[in-house]
Amino acid sequence: MEQRCILDPEGNLISEAPVGLDETERLFDAMLTARLYDRKCSAMQRQGRLATYAPYEGQEAAQIGSAAALRPGDWMAGTYRDAAAMWMHGYPFVNLLLFRMGDERGGCPPEDVFILPPSITVGGHMIHAVGLAWASLIKGDDRVAITYFGDGATSEGDFHEAMNFAAVYETPTIFVCQNNQYAISMSREGQTRSATIAGKADAYGMPGVLVDGNDVLAMLAVTTEAVDRARSGGGPTLIEAFTYRAGPHTTTDDPLRYRPAEEVDEWSHRDPIVRVRRYLQHNGRWDHDREQTVLDGVAAAIEAAVAEAEATDPYTAIEVFEAMYAEPTPVLKAQRDALLRDQGSA
Amino acid sequence: MEQRCILDPEGNLISEAPVGLDETERLFDAMLTARLYDRKCSAMQRQGRLATYAPYEGQEAAQIGSAAALRPGDWMAGTYRDAAAMWMHGYPFVNLLLFRMGDERGGCPPEDVFILPPSITVGGHMIHAVGLAWASLIKGDDRVAITYFGDGATSEGDFHEAMNFAAVYETPTIFVCQNNQYAISMSREGQTRSATIAGKADAYGMPGVLVDGNDVLAMLAVTTEAVDRARSGGGPTLIEAFTYRAGPHTTTDDPLRYRPAEEVDEWSHRDPIVRVRRYLQHNGRWDHDREQTVLDGVAAAIEAAVAEAEATDPYTAIEVFEAMYAEPTPVLKAQRDALLRDQGSA
Amino acid sequence: MPEMTVALALNDALHIALRDDPATVVLGEDVGKAGGVFRVTDGLQQRFGADRVVDTPVAESGIVGAAFGLAIAGLKPIAELQFMGFSYPGYDQVISHVGRIRNRSRSRFTAPMVIRMPYGGGIGAAEHHSESTEAMYAHTPGIKVVVPSRPYDAKGLLLAAIEDPDPVIVLEPIRAYRAIKEDVPAERFAVPIGEASVVREGSDLTMISYGAMMRDTLSAADYLEDDGVSVEVVDLRTLSPLDHETIVASAKSTGRVVVVVESPRTASLASEVAAIVGERALYSLLAPVERVTGHDIVVPLKRAERHHIPDAGRIVAAARRTLEA
Amino acid sequence: MPEMTVALALNDALHIALRDDPATVVLGEDVGKAGGVFRVTDGLQQRFGADRVVDTPVAESGIVGAAFGLAIAGLKPIAELQFMGFSYPGYDQVISHVGRIRNRSRSRFTAPMVIRMPYGGGIGAAEHHSESTEAMYAHTPGIKVVVPSRPYDAKGLLLAAIEDPDPVIVLEPIRAYRAIKEDVPAERFAVPIGEASVVREGSDLTMISYGAMMRDTLSAADYLEDDGVSVEVVDLRTLSPLDHETIVASAKSTGRVVVVVESPRTASLASEVAAIVGERALYSLLAPVERVTGHDIVVPLKRAERHHIPDAGRIVAAARRTLEA
Ligand SMILES: Cc1ncc(C[n+]2csc(CCOP(=O)(O)OP(=O)(O)O)c2C)c(N)n1
Ligand SMILES: Cc1ncc(C[n+]2csc(CCOP(=O)(O)OP(=O)(O)O)c2C)c(N)n1
Ligand SMILES: [Mg+2]
Ligand SMILES: [Mg+2]
């Protein structure tokens, strides 16, 4: 299967761009934002201000390009590594940060954001995007649902069940597999013997597309096609975004245990941001100062979000019991009261 | 994908037979045996002598032809509907019957029979055949493992995980899907949108074969190829045996709720036994008396097994606790003693 | 008032739910054309169509997970798992997602959904068809678990489960599906979740049970009453959250407690009830709480099942011990 | 004797098992090249090769099910599930197959295998990384469940689990992996499965716990000892089968019992211990058994986790109540 590619690593268009330069600039800025946020989080984790963090550096195009194909109101269900896509689709930094600080209020985005909190278990959330999209068919609205997952997740039984349900009920679901070549230490080759992940779509009678995941224009193009098909009753699509995780699995991981430094180096020449910068530059749309201005703005926005998140008071003991059910059950009330009593007496 | 077929429904060879007439006669006799046993079980169930029974009528070729490709010592892991394959590979009637009477001792075949008790849960046992076969690679012996399952089972996540593990570790596993067109009331079309089940093998980088499951010679041929490949280090194969369940899902099921009588009638023209009878007849190897003699012998053997099974005393309360662990735990001993006390006192 | 079995009462509740709320969707293996293996969903697809009463592929994680997505999007899915023994492939969805979404989103997203499953033994069924692992579901945070023992409660609890703003698991005792008939109101009503029912008042001894074991418990009580023992009988009806107050009040008033479950014993609902009674009614106890339970074994097949599932004889023996203590 | 952490002691046990028995196979996600997320399998693949220390695809049902097949075929698989919170997709294999095969084949086929998994909270980990659902495994027939709290027991219980003729689940307390060091014999030894350990003798009160909660339990005991209370402390070590005799003997001798678990409360091991004590030591009890447990909620994330997992303060408060009763 051929990889769809529009913008090559040198920043040359090799087929027709799906959007003009203004929109490309917007995607570029979004990728800059995503990278800055990602690096900030890794740094904050090292300072002990965030719990474990899963960096997505190298995968910005896959996330930003695909998320850009959505409309507000479309559903999204992604993973711990999909903060860029979530942010692009409207999930505020402050919520992303709160989650990473170990605060469930991070999972509560504003009412007009239809993004589930990131899935930490691998595989289980894909079928949610099938149910969410199925609801559109039953209710007769036109929201689609996009789900993000990794190459490793395709080995879980839940991937199979989700793909099969989506195809059987023709739900408007877009499955975006970011094949970043690793599932923690397991290489893509060790994960499955299928030639491509995109090809797995056949097993469900679903279209599968292989795309250069480091090419934001190609990502936008193939996702737009899938979204259009889904929205017009054409059912689900599997997209394999061929990409690379530049950093460790999480901030506690040491990738040198399982992959050579040369491989990382090789992929760095295919950086998703660099090629768009070159493309904009070829077209007279890039200069250093503009980029710096964007970055400064983003840094300020992130700092503000960090400040807001860090200023949020931690939960009280009472609050811990409050969102298990619409109303705490008598059993939970008793447990809460006993806790308050003991915390008082200890 | 084309269906492999050797013997057409009229009993004509359309490609080369994998075995001669003597062996074909043996397969024919085995299918007669299997059918007689199956009908006997349904009858016994109606008489209340067996618990629910899952008839396999119509699928005799799929089971007998594939099981005939095995060597003694090869592993088998099948389902509630695979008694013909199990018997063909050495599982005694008496054990099959005991299980159906509700007696776990049915699950204990002789020491030289390497067949797991039939799986009642759908899907979970396929991966066992992967582990069993994997052990051959690790131990360096040449046993293969065959697993039987239905079209419905391919929707379970466990099918996916089993196929993937088998392909990744190249285990000598033969996956035989008897696509009998239904999973209880669910049609094959409602189960999955893939054109064929055999085609699902691609998703794992595994060879997949579609075969006329009502053609015992084709079943033998494709399974022999798969077994040979597995035994010589070539890894697993998925075989889709295209067949039909002539009877109900189980003795409590009413198939007219979900499929038209005409469909059943149509498939009856493709009966797996009839075509071999015709073939043998064309070749002067069949006469009514011989068939009757075989049937009489089989009937006697089944009666003897029934008598043996029915003569087996049911479990005692003590025995109930005996095979949970190599040795009943102190907790189980206490529960046993309390039960004996209460059964005495009640 | 029409007379109904448990199976009919459940069917009736589903009819009402589908009729009254277009957001209701029933899904599961063989629930449509075939009307369910126990015919609990009989006639629903004919009446409400294949879009609202959906036959699914054989995939329990998929069923629970898809229902979860439907619920978040504002529908009211009622998923059926064919037997409790086949619910485990879907358990990860229950514990990791269904029971968590409200808390992890601080109520921004919720999953008001129902999962129905037949459970329990006593009919000599095949392997995996007699499971009684309700303790595992009762131990799982974020879901509620109800279990009717009779037609009235079956209809009322299922309707309450459907109306509940949170996910509810409805355990349907296989043995009771057709064993008991009673008059059940034709209209909609609810049996409140979280309330046990004192089905018989008495002063010498309390018996606590639920589901299919209620029948044996009541026969044991009858038997003892004939001997002049006054037995109070509590039907828990909801296993999560448990109705501590009713349990404790009854234990305090009689001082003797026998709790009856068919599940394995260790870490069972019987253990929980015994712990609650020991915690809050210790000084009223005249005898140790007796747990009459299944054993810590796999449910034996038909020929030996009776050694596992408690019967009235074992319940009476336990009651006698508490009376003689 | 070398000093070891729990993680090292486990690693040492795995080295010994792989060295001494060629049938031993370690498999799981990231156990090979990466040496496990907690480095418990560190160095094993380098030493014993990728055929015996196998990195698997991300598929827990596959891992457990493949290990089950390996075990039936005569190998000794030791499967790792990366966290207890990721064990649920494999639970169906555990309850429906691993725990059943011996009984359903009347010992013709057996699955002597080990499933290791880190469990428990207290380190402010991400969602699903702090699960404590051991009750569900202890409730499952046909398997054994052990849980070490210290390096010595970690090595001895893991080796005992590997030698056991039946499937054993080894729960490894995350919080204890590196928190405690002690001298552990370099050679092979076994801590018998099924035996609790009285880690401290005392006369006024019994505290019963296991796993990571042992540390808090022991600090609470220290604290009370300073106040002149003599505390007996029992480390259960095996959750299935539970050591009833040790529990009952201690309860009888002190008359006061506090049982400490970090799991949800309903139908927990704490409930089971309370039930056992109420059943067999009722007349010795001077106060209700106190259950100090997690709540029936999802383990809160880092910022609020301390409200959930019991600490020494809560244990002391409970102990005081039993002393004042
Ligand atoms: C059910 C489950 N099993 C195991 C894990 C542990 N785990 C976390 S991330 C991960 C690897 C996932 O790889 P992939 O799907 O490729 O996503 P990536 O991390 O590369 O984005 C694993 C095994 C988990 N979170 N959930
Ligand atoms: C895990 C699980 N889910 C559901 C069932 C109930 N059930 C028994 S057989 C069956 C249909 C299986 O169909 P298929 O795999 O095509 O096999 P067939 O019965 O046609 O031989 C179902 C759903 C089960 N036994 N196990
Ligand atoms: Mg990956
Ligand atoms: Mg079928």
Side-chain angles (χ1 to χ4, degrees):
Chain A
M1 205 185 280
E2 279 242 4
Q3 260 181 54
R4 285 278 292 274
C5 183
I6 291 177
L7 196 58
D8 77 10
E10 312 313 319
N12 302 313
L13 280 186
I14 57 175
S15 60
E16 203 194 335
V19 287
L21 289 168
D22 287 354
E23 183 62 16
T24 306
E25 206 171 71
R26 192 177 79 92
L27 295 171
F28 179 68
D29 293 353
M31 290 198 290
L32 288 178
T33 307
R35 179 153 303 174
L36 197 64
Y37 174 76
D38 190 53
R39 292 194 172 166
K40 172 78 184 172
C41 286
S42 291
M44 285 178 69
Q45 197 281 336
R46 280 191 298 273
Q47 296 156 357
R49 293 158 76 194
L50 295 186
T52 327
Y53 180 72
Y56 51 71
E57 180 156 336
Q59 305 178 213
E60 291 88 350
Q63 295 189 33
I64 296 294
S66 55
L70 302 174
R71 279 195 206 150
D74 286 338
W75 286 102
M76 181 182 284
T79 79
Y80 49 86
R81 203 185 300 289
D82 298 316
M86 291 173 73
W87 168 79
M88 186 69 180
H89 193 47
Y91 211 88
F93 283 136
V94 61
N95 288 84
L96 291 170
L97 286 163
L98 274 170
F99 226 97
R100 287 287 176 195
M101 288 175 182
D103 192 313
E104 288 82 355
R105 286 168 294 190
C108 181
E111 282 299 317
D112 60 347
V113 173
F114 294 85
I115 305 177
L116 300 189
S119 181
I120 307 298
T121 67
V122 169
H125 67 292
M126 298 178 253
I127 183 77
H128 307 162
V130 178
L132 293 166
W134 192 357
S136 295
L137 297 183
I138 296 173
K139 296 199 286 186
D141 67 40
D142 69 353
R143 288 180 186 195
V144 305
I146 195 166
T147 177
Y148 292 92
F149 52 96
D151 42 313
T154 66
S155 292
E156 290 280 4
D158 273 354
F159 164 76
H160 180 69
E161 300 194 10
M163 292 285 290
N164 193 44
F165 269 62
V168 164
Y169 300 112
E170 301 181 72
T171 68
T173 307
I174 298 95
F175 292 87
V176 180
C177 177
Q178 289 171 78
N179 171 6
N180 64 5
Q181 314 304 330
Y182 287 91
I184 308 186
S185 67
M186 175 54 94
S187 67
R188 153 66 185 81
E189 289 65 41
Q191 197 68 244
T192 171
R193 289 291 171 92
S194 73
T196 65
I197 288 171
K200 288 179 186 277
D202 279 359
Y204 310 95
M206 191 193 291
V209 188
L210 178 61
V211 53
D212 180 343
N214 287 12
D215 174 355
V216 75
L217 296 181
M219 281 304 303
L220 175 62
V222 301
T223 314
T224 302
E225 285 163 22
V227 166
D228 289 349
R229 179 161 50 237
R231 217 184 294 283
S232 59
T237 304
L238 171 63
I239 296 171
E240 174 183 358
F242 200 84
T243 182
Y244 195 75
R245 152 161 72 70
H249 171 70
T250 66
T251 41
T252 62
D253 175 49
D254 171 11
L256 287 177
R257 281 182 168 249
Y258 53 81
R259 67 183 191 188
E262 304 82 67
E263 188 185 283
V264 183
D265 192 54
E266 231 167 76
W267 273 89
S268 72
H269 301 303
R270 305 186 50 188
D271 185 89
I273 295 184
V274 169
R275 69 174 83 176
V276 185
R277 187 183 288 124
R278 286 179 178 152
Y279 171 61
L280 290 173
Q281 206 165 8
H282 299 332
N283 288 276
R285 296 287 292 239
W286 184 85
D287 68 68
H288 182 272
D289 288 354
R290 184 188 172 282
E291 178 163 329
Q292 196 52 50
T293 310
V294 170
L295 287 172
D296 290 346
V298 171
I302 294 175
E303 282 310 333
V306 168
E308 185 183 342
E310 291 188 336
T312 309
D313 284 333
Y315 271 87
T316 64
I318 292 173
E319 285 171 304
V320 160
F321 295 90
E322 273 176 1
M324 287 307 302
Y325 301 96
E327 177 71 31
T329 62
V331 171
L332 284 189
K333 283 184 189 154
Q335 292 179 5
R336 176 196 65 197
D337 294 346
L339 176 67
L340 294 175
R341 178 200 60 197
D342 286 358
Q343 286 186 338
S345 84
Chain B
M1 204 185 282
E2 279 244 1
Q3 260 181 54
R4 285 278 293 274
C5 184
I6 291 177
L7 197 59
D8 76 10
E10 313 312 319
N12 303 312
L13 280 187
I14 57 175
S15 61
E16 204 195 333
V19 287
L21 289 167
D22 286 354
E23 183 60 14
T24 306
E25 205 169 73
R26 191 177 80 92
L27 295 171
F28 180 69
D29 292 354
M31 290 200 289
L32 288 177
T33 307
R35 179 154 301 176
L36 197 65
Y37 173 76
D38 190 53
R39 291 192 173 169
K40 172 78 183 173
C41 285
S42 291
M44 284 178 69
Q45 197 282 335
R46 281 191 297 275
Q47 295 156 358
R49 293 157 76 195
L50 295 187
T52 327
Y53 180 73
Y56 51 73
E57 180 156 335
Q59 304 177 213
E60 291 88 349
Q63 296 189 32
I64 296 295
S66 54
L70 301 174
R71 279 195 206 149
D74 286 338
W75 285 103
M76 182 181 284
T79 79
Y80 49 86
R81 204 186 300 288
D82 298 316
M86 291 173 72
W87 168 79
M88 186 68 181
H89 193 49
Y91 210 89
F93 282 135
V94 61
N95 289 81
L96 291 170
L97 286 163
L98 274 171
F99 227 97
R100 287 289 177 194
M101 287 175 183
D103 192 314
E104 289 82 355
R105 287 169 294 190
C108 181
E111 282 299 316
D112 61 346
V113 172
F114 294 85
I115 305 178
L116 300 189
S119 181
I120 307 297
T121 68
V122 168
H125 67 293
M126 299 177 251
I127 184 77
H128 307 163
V130 178
L132 292 165
W134 192 357
S136 295
L137 297 184
I138 296 172
K139 295 199 288 188
D141 68 40
D142 70 351
R143 288 179 185 195
V144 305
I146 195 166
T147 178
Y148 292 92
F149 53 95
D151 42 315
T154 66
S155 292
E156 291 280 3
D158 273 354
F159 165 76
H160 180 68
E161 299 193 11
M163 291 285 290
N164 193 44
F165 270 62
V168 163
Y169 300 111
E170 302 182 70
T171 67
T173 308
I174 297 94
F175 292 88
V176 180
C177 177
Q178 289 172 78
N179 171 7
N180 63 6
Q181 313 305 329
Y182 287 92
I184 309 187
S185 67
M186 175 54 93
S187 67
R188 154 64 184 84
E189 289 66 40
Q191 197 68 242
T192 171
R193 289 292 171 91
S194 73
T196 65
I197 287 172
K200 288 179 187 277
D202 280 356
Y204 310 95
M206 190 192 292
V209 189
L210 178 61
V211 53
D212 180 343
N214 287 13
D215 174 354
V216 75
L217 296 181
M219 282 304 304
L220 175 62
V222 300
T223 314
T224 301
E225 285 163 22
V227 167
D228 289 349
R229 179 161 51 235
R231 218 184 294 284
S232 59
T237 304
L238 171 64
I239 297 171
E240 174 183 357
F242 200 84
T243 181
Y244 195 75
R245 152 161 72 70
H249 171 70
T250 66
T251 41
T252 62
D253 174 49
D254 171 12
L256 287 178
R257 282 184 167 245
Y258 53 83
R259 67 183 191 187
E262 304 82 65
E263 187 186 282
V264 183
D265 192 55
E266 232 167 72
W267 273 90
S268 72
H269 301 302
R270 306 187 49 188
D271 184 273
I273 295 184
V274 169
R275 70 174 82 178
V276 186
R277 186 183 289 123
R278 285 179 180 151
Y279 171 63
L280 289 172
Q281 204 166 10
H282 298 330
N283 288 279
R285 295 286 291 239
W286 184 85
D287 68 66
H288 181 273
D289 288 353
R290 184 185 172 282
E291 178 163 330
Q292 195 53 51
T293 310
V294 171
L295 286 172
D296 291 346
V298 172
I302 294 176
E303 282 309 336
V306 168
E308 184 183 342
E310 290 187 336
T312 309
D313 283 334
Y315 271 86
T316 63
I318 291 173
E319 284 170 303
V320 161
F321 295 89
E322 273 176 0
M324 287 307 301
Y325 300 95
E327 177 71 31
T329 62
V331 170
L332 284 188
K333 282 183 188 154
Q335 293 180 5
R336 176 195 64 197
D337 294 345
L339 176 67
L340 294 175
R341 177 200 61 195
D342 286 358
Q343 287 186 336
S345 83
Chain C
M1 268 201 298
E3 211 187 44
M4 298 184 190
T5 59
V6 166
L8 271 180
L10 293 165
N11 182 265
D12 193 41
L14 294 171
H15 269 281
I16 291 174
L18 284 158
R19 181 197 67 197
D20 292 354
D21 182 358
T24 310
V25 178
V26 167
L27 69 163
E29 295 157 14
D30 309 295
V31 297
K33 276 192 185 158
V37 290
F38 290 105
R39 304 282 178 261
V40 171
T41 54
D42 205 20
L44 298 178
Q45 193 182 67
Q46 286 91 318
R47 181 157 162 206
F48 299 103
D51 286 343
R52 294 187 60 207
V53 182
V54 186
D55 282 316
T56 65
V58 186
E60 292 73 18
S61 189
I63 293 168
V64 176
F68 175 73
L70 289 168
I72 292 177
L75 297 180
K76 172 59 82 172
I78 306 174
E80 173 179 307
L81 298 180
Q82 209 158 67
F83 282 86
M84 184 182 247
F86 311 141
S87 73
Y88 311 126
Y91 181 66
D92 178 52
Q93 287 289 338
V94 173
I95 186 168
S96 300
H97 301 289
V98 175
R100 284 179 116 104
I101 187 64
R102 182 187 281 278
N103 185 57
R104 70 195 297 264
S105 73
R106 298 309 284 181
S107 296
R108 166 76 179 80
F109 302 107
T110 61
M113 59 187 276
V114 172
I115 305 175
R116 301 174 34 243
M117 58 179 98
Y119 90 101
I123 61 162
E127 287 179 288
H128 309 277
H129 288 70
S130 305
E131 297 281 293
S132 178
T133 45
E134 60 275 16
M136 161 181 154
Y137 286 104
H139 188 66
T140 303
I143 58 171
K144 298 178 181 177
V145 183
V146 301
V147 48
S149 70
R150 30 184 288 222
Y152 181 91
D153 289 349
K155 180 168 174 184
L157 283 170
L158 179 50
L159 283 169
I162 294 167
E163 284 161 21
D164 202 89
D166 287 301
V168 182
I169 296 198
V170 179
L171 302 178
E172 302 175 357
I174 294 170
R175 210 156 15 125
Y177 265 138
R178 293 191 160 69
I180 320 157
K181 280 190 183 170
E182 71 178 340
D183 290 342
V184 176
E187 62 275 18
R188 174 187 280 274
F189 67 95
V191 168
I193 293 178
E195 291 185 13
S197 149
V198 179
V199 294
R200 178 188 297 201
E201 296 195 347
S203 54
D204 295 330
L205 170 76
T206 298
M207 291 185 179
I208 302 177
S209 190
Y210 53 85
M213 290 312 304
M214 281 307 296
R215 257 190 120 188
D216 309 81
T217 303
L218 285 165
S219 343
D222 282 343
Y223 187 94
L224 288 165
E225 297 265 0
D226 287 348
D227 267 17
V229 183
S230 167
V231 184
E232 180 143 307
V233 181
V234 176
D235 181 349
L236 289 175
R237 299 199 297 194
T238 293
L239 303 184
S240 175
L242 271 178
D243 180 352
H244 290 216
E245 300 313 316
T246 301
I247 294 167
V248 170
S250 183
K252 281 189 176 164
S253 85
T254 64
R256 294 184 174 90
V257 178
V258 176
V259 49
V260 184
V261 304
E262 64 180 283
S263 80
R265 184 180 186 84
T266 297
S268 65
L269 265 297
S271 313
E272 181 60 27
V273 168
I276 292 167
V277 170
E279 213 153 62
R280 293 189 47 200
L282 181 71
Y283 302 113
S284 311
L285 283 184
L286 302 167
V289 175
E290 283 279 341
R291 289 183 286 166
V292 182
T293 70
H295 317 300
D296 288 339
I297 64 175
V298 174
V299 185
L301 292 177
K302 188 172 181 182
R303 292 181 105 195
E305 192 180 13
R306 71 200 161 83
H307 297 308
H308 178 69
I309 305 209
D311 55 20
R314 283 178 61 201
I315 303 170
V316 167
R320 287 249 157 78
R321 274 195 300 278
T322 71
L323 291 163
E324 284 151 21
Chain D
M1 268 198 299
E3 211 187 42
M4 298 184 190
T5 59
V6 166
L8 272 179
L10 293 165
N11 182 265
D12 193 42
L14 294 171
H15 268 281
I16 291 174
L18 282 158
R19 179 197 69 198
D20 292 354
D21 181 359
T24 310
V25 178
V26 167
L27 69 163
E29 295 157 13
D30 309 295
V31 297
K33 277 193 185 158
V37 289
F38 290 104
R39 304 284 178 258
V40 171
T41 54
D42 205 19
L44 298 177
Q45 193 182 67
Q46 287 90 318
R47 179 156 164 205
F48 300 103
D51 286 345
R52 293 185 62 208
V53 181
V54 186
D55 282 316
T56 65
V58 186
E60 292 73 17
S61 189
I63 293 168
V64 177
F68 176 73
L70 289 168
I72 292 177
L75 297 181
K76 172 62 79 174
I78 306 174
E80 173 178 307
L81 298 180
Q82 209 159 68
F83 282 86
M84 183 183 249
F86 311 140
S87 73
Y88 311 126
Y91 181 68
D92 179 51
Q93 287 289 338
V94 174
I95 186 168
S96 300
H97 300 290
V98 175
R100 282 179 118 103
I101 188 64
R102 182 188 281 277
N103 186 57
R104 69 194 298 263
S105 73
R106 297 309 285 179
S107 296
R108 166 75 178 80
F109 302 107
T110 61
M113 60 189 274
V114 172
I115 304 175
R116 301 174 35 242
M117 57 179 99
Y119 91 101
I123 60 161
E127 288 180 285
H128 309 278
H129 289 71
S130 306
E131 297 280 295
S132 178
T133 45
E134 60 275 16
M136 162 180 153
Y137 287 104
H139 189 65
T140 303
I143 58 172
K144 298 178 182 177
V145 183
V146 302
V147 49
S149 70
R150 31 185 287 222
Y152 181 91
D153 288 350
K155 180 168 175 184
L157 283 170
L158 179 51
L159 283 168
I162 294 168
E163 284 161 19
D164 203 90
D166 286 301
V168 182
I169 296 198
V170 180
L171 302 179
E172 302 175 356
I174 295 170
R175 213 157 11 126
Y177 266 137
R178 293 191 160 70
I180 320 158
K181 281 191 182 169
E182 70 179 341
D183 289 343
V184 176
E187 62 274 19
R188 174 187 279 276
F189 67 95
V191 169
I193 293 178
E195 290 186 13
S197 147
V198 178
V199 293
R200 179 189 296 203
E201 297 195 348
S203 54
D204 294 331
L205 170 76
T206 298
M207 290 186 181
I208 301 178
S209 191
Y210 53 85
M213 290 312 305
M214 281 307 296
R215 255 190 121 190
D216 309 83
T217 303
L218 285 164
S219 343
D222 282 343
Y223 188 94
L224 289 164
E225 297 266 1
D226 286 348
D227 268 15
V229 183
S230 166
V231 184
E232 180 144 306
V233 181
V234 176
D235 181 349
L236 289 174
R237 298 198 299 193
T238 294
L239 303 184
S240 175
L242 271 178
D243 181 352
H244 290 217
E245 301 313 317
T246 300
I247 294 167
V248 170
S250 183
K252 280 189 177 162
S253 84
T254 64
R256 294 185 174 88
V257 177
V258 175
V259 49
V260 184
V261 305
E262 64 180 283
S263 80
R265 184 181 187 85
T266 297
S268 64
L269 265 298
S271 313
E272 181 60 28
V273 169
I276 292 167
V277 169
E279 213 155 62
R280 293 188 47 198
L282 181 71
Y283 302 114
S284 311
L285 282 185
L286 303 167
V289 175
E290 282 280 339
R291 290 183 283 166
V292 182
T293 70
H295 317 300
D296 288 339
I297 64 174
V298 174
V299 185
L301 291 178
K302 188 172 180 184
R303 294 182 103 198
E305 192 179 12
R306 70 198 163 83
H307 297 308
H308 178 70
I309 304 206
D311 55 20
R314 284 177 60 200
I315 303 170
V316 168
R320 287 250 158 79
R321 275 195 298 280
T322 72
L323 291 163
E324 284 152 20

